[in-house]
Amino acid sequence: MPALFRRLAVLGLSLSTPLATAALAQASDPARAPVQALDDGLVQIMKAGKAAGARARAATIGPVVDRSFDLPLMTRLAVGPGWTAIAPADQTALVAAFRRLTIAQYAANFDGWSGESFTLAPQVESRGGDKLVRTTLNQPKGSAEALNYRLRDSGKGWRIIDVFYRNAVSQLATRRSDFANILQSGGAKALVTHLDALAAKGG
């Protein structure tokens, strides 16, 4: 299992205090639900392990990814301003390829379980109109690591639009940098080919 997170400190509060009431409200924030669903799905495929095979793990985590992420928006943001100049058919192909890559990465990276678990911080932070949900991967045989999620209300509920590794590295920014050169040299079709090649290698 690759290291993905940093340990987060948790402050214990008496349920009788006003701060505890606020914390309880935070813990019920609807933005936490997509992240909790993803964490549960990742534990499920970790427990299935290598014996299940990458294809089975992908089949299990795929629907969870669809419910937890706003993949069309993530693809558009990763492509950047040039998105509007891309033909609609190529936009659709890019979203599908981005989805395949996202699922393949999870199926490849979460392929074994040794007692790992996730902890969601009760506090949900505001980022303009977005929200940030912080999580910790607890690893019995390694240090706890941080993986944080930025979510946006799509009109159909909160969905993940970016992932931050170790509290700092934006997946979206990394994607945008990777995509720019390919789009410039080969256009949308070349990017679809590139994403499919990465997915075939397990991300």
Side-chain angles (χ1 to χ4, degrees):
M1 169 62 58
L4 298 174
F5 314 92
R6 267 181 202 164
R7 186 176 300 279
L8 299 177
V10 177
L11 177 63
L13 296 171
S14 166
L15 291 178
S16 62
T17 66
L19 284 177
T21 302
L24 187 61
Q26 286 280 313
S28 63
D29 192 300
R32 298 175 84 249
V35 179
Q36 183 67 68
L38 178 62
D39 287 350
D40 292 344
L42 293 177
V43 170
Q44 183 179 356
I45 63 171
M46 281 193 283
K47 289 182 175 180
K50 294 183 183 295
R55 183 170 295 182
R57 292 194 303 275
T60 298
I61 202 63
V64 180
V65 168
D66 290 334
R67 292 192 300 270
S68 297
F69 289 85
D70 189 339
L71 293 170
L73 178 57
M74 292 178 74
T75 308
R76 178 169 65 82
L77 293 175
V79 168
W83 177 260
T84 55
I86 296 174
D90 288 335
Q91 290 179 347
T92 300
L94 281 169
V95 173
F98 191 91
R99 175 184 182 272
R100 288 190 291 271
L101 175 59
T102 302
I103 292 169
Q105 285 184 318
Y106 280 124
N109 291 334
F110 292 84
D111 62 350
W113 186 74
S114 302
E116 291 86 355
S117 64
F118 291 92
T119 301
L120 270 71
Q123 297 81 13
V124 176
E125 303 171 28
S126 295
R127 292 290 188 273
D130 297 341
K131 293 189 176 182
L132 187 72
V133 176
R134 298 184 182 274
T135 71
T136 303
L137 173 63
N138 309 297
Q139 302 181 99
K141 297 182 180 180
S143 60
E145 299 285 349
L147 179 63
N148 305 321
Y149 298 89
R150 187 165 189 152
L151 297 96
R152 184 169 296 174
D153 188 350
S154 66
K156 298 180 180 179
W158 291 93
R159 296 291 183 270
I160 297 166
I161 64 165
D162 199 4
V163 184
F164 296 89
Y165 297 103
R166 297 178 177 176
N167 293 319
V169 182
S170 164
Q171 185 187 75
L172 193 61
T174 301
R175 297 280 196 222
R176 188 180 296 119
S177 177
D178 290 343
F179 290 2
N181 289 336
I182 298 170
L183 285 167
Q184 185 174 11
S185 61
K189 289 181 173 57
L191 182 55
V192 169
T193 299
H194 174 71
L195 297 179
D196 283 341
L198 289 177
K201 295 176 182 178

